[in-house]
Amino acid sequence: MSKILIIGASGMLGCSLAPTLQAAGHDIIKQSRNVGYDVKLNLLDDNDWRDCINELQPDVVINLAAATNVDLCEHNPQLAFDANVAPLLSLKRASSHIKKRPYLIHISTDQLYDGVGTHSESNVHPCNVYALSKFAAELAINDYQATILRTNFFGLSKSPNRQSFSDWIIKSIESNSSITLFQDVLFNAVHISTLCYVIGLIIDNQTIGTFNVGASNGISKSEFGLQLATMLGLETNKIKIGYISDFEFLARRPLDMRMNTSNFENVFSFTFPSMLTEISKAANEYKN
């Protein structure tokens, strides 16, 4: 079993990943800016990284820390760089002074893709500052012993400060609020439990590379919302079907983020479930 340092453990993925890895027998150390976590670490300070890694000597570092508000990143590129790129640069600079260099797992995003899917790992086309900063983060660690996962996930958030896409849909319907879901935006996200399983698989194998992690097929954001609501027996009359082009966002959004996951499936001998299966997992989770 491995000693694992999770960076950004208080976020949505961290709150599910930490207990999953603990249940698998790993020794988990959780970092967050919030109170009540194991490690306080200035992610922009090379010396802090050096001292932290040398003291804890983790086998694996999982980086979940990120600024993910697309419009905020567009408005403030420096914030996007400081949150999404600079911590990895600091870790890499500190690594030459680290006694035991840990293996790194970095969570990236499906927003790196644009144009008609499905997209292979080489088909990168960032269309906003957020996506560009996430790609820059990948480039920052291209010579580090790391696995990069480009993904998108949903499910019941266990973080008190973050809600998922599926959380937002359900809460909006239950509060009788009208929402618009886009039929021209396509993705193949996975349930958070699937992503946690995949990360556990990667820890065991430590195969270096960049991989797409997504469901076996893609659907529109509107179809996703309608399927989830129907499975939960919720009224769908408050869901309006629209086009993203009808809305004015500060940052441009990609329309087709569907990813080709065959590279991961071939390397790890793993078959990703369908979107319908993943939505069913979420529905059962919300029911319980």
Side-chain angles (χ1 to χ4, degrees), residues 93-139:
R93 287 192 297 264
S95 65
S96 60
H97 305 285
I98 290 172
K99 301 171 189 174
K100 177 186 174 185
R101 187 173 179 175
Y103 166 64
L104 175 64
I105 298 174
H106 173 66
I107 304 301
S108 191
T109 176
D110 62 349
Q111 289 228 6
L112 294 185
Y113 301 116
D114 195 16
V116 179
T118 58
H119 303 282
S120 66
E121 285 84 353
S122 61
N123 188 27
V124 174
H125 193 278
C127 71
N128 54 49
V129 169
Y130 167 68
L132 189 62
S133 70
K134 293 295 285 186
F135 187 49
E138 294 186 12
L139 297 177

Side-chain angles (χ1 to χ4, degrees), residues 42 82 102 111 114 142 173 204 209-210 219 234 258 281 285:
N42 183 349
D82 288 345
Q111 289 228 6
D114 195 16
N142 63 0
I173 295 174
D204 293 338
T210 300
I219 60 175
L234 298 175
R258 292 175 298 171
K281 291 178 186 176
E285 188 178 38

Side-chain angles (χ1 to χ4, degrees), residues 268-286:
F268 292 94
S269 300
F270 179 83
T271 301
F272 283 104
S274 68
M275 281 290 288
L276 185 62
T277 298
E278 297 295 81
I279 296 170
S280 297
K281 291 178 186 176
N284 290 331
E285 188 178 38
Y286 288 111

Side-chain angles (χ1 to χ4, degrees), residues 36-271:
Y37 286 80
D38 304 318
V39 177
K40 289 291 183 182
L41 168 64
N42 183 349
L43 300 180
L44 306 183
D45 190 306
D46 299 5
N47 293 330
D48 257 23
W49 270 111
R50 179 201 64 204
D51 294 344
C52 177
I53 299 299
N54 280 336
E55 178 184 348
L56 298 174
Q57 295 191 30
D59 303 301
V60 181
V61 172
I62 304 177
N63 180 43
L64 309 180
T68 58
N69 185 313
V70 176
D71 284 335
L72 181 59
C73 287
E74 198 75 16
H75 175 72
N76 191 342
Q78 186 64 55
L79 179 147
F81 176 85
D82 288 345
N84 296 336
V85 188
L88 294 173
L89 290 173
S90 287
L91 171 60
K92 192 168 75 168
R93 287 192 297 264
S95 65
S96 60
H97 305 285
I98 290 172
K99 301 171 189 174
K100 177 186 174 185
R101 187 173 179 175
Y103 166 64
L104 175 64
I105 298 174
H106 173 66
I107 304 301
S108 191
T109 176
D110 62 349
Q111 289 228 6
L112 294 185
Y113 301 116
D114 195 16
V116 179
T118 58
H119 303 282
S120 66
E121 285 84 353
S122 61
N123 188 27
V124 174
H125 193 278
C127 71
N128 54 49
V129 169
Y130 167 68
L132 189 62
S133 70
K134 293 295 285 186
F135 187 49
E138 294 186 12
L139 297 177
I141 54 173
N142 63 0
D143 57 351
Y144 195 96
Q145 183 182 357
T147 300
I148 297 166
L149 302 182
R150 295 175 182 163
T151 190
N152 193 340
F153 57 93
F154 60 89
L156 179 64
S157 176
K158 298 175 183 176
S159 170
N161 304 313
R162 295 294 299 272
Q163 70 173 357
S164 69
F165 180 51
S166 52
D167 288 340
W168 172 71
I169 291 172
I170 292 168
K171 289 178 182 178
S172 298
I173 295 174
E174 290 180 338
S175 64
N176 204 33
S177 301
S178 294
I179 57 173
T180 300
L181 298 178
F182 302 126
Q183 62 180 338
D184 56 342
V185 177
L186 306 172
F187 72 145
N188 61 327
V190 291
H191 186 264
I192 193 168
S193 63
T194 301
L195 180 55
C196 289
Y197 177 84
V198 162
I199 292 172
L201 192 64
I202 290 167
I203 291 169
D204 293 338
N205 288 269
Q206 298 198 8
T207 301
I208 305 304
T210 300
F211 300 96
N212 291 334
V213 172
S216 61
N217 66 307
I219 60 175
S220 69
K221 293 284 183 84
S222 59
E223 181 64 20
F224 174 89
L226 291 170
Q227 289 277 5
L228 180 60
T230 300
M231 288 182 186
L232 290 171
L234 298 175
E235 294 291 337
T236 59
N237 58 351
K238 288 294 182 179
I239 297 178
K240 298 179 181 178
I241 309 302
Y243 293 90
I244 199 168
S245 57
D246 294 333
F247 290 75
E248 292 186 6
F249 294 107
L250 179 61
R252 182 176 174 270
R253 266 71 165 174
L255 294 180
D256 191 344
M257 295 167 286
R258 292 175 298 171
M259 298 176 290
N260 184 328
T261 60
S262 60
N263 185 27
F264 184 95
E265 292 184 321
N266 291 335
V267 170
F268 292 94
S269 300
F270 179 83
T271 301

Side-chain angles (χ1 to χ4, degrees), residues 29-40:
I29 306 165
K30 295 178 284 187
Q31 181 276 340
S32 174
R33 293 176 297 176
N34 297 335
V35 297
Y37 286 80
D38 304 318
V39 177
K40 289 291 183 182

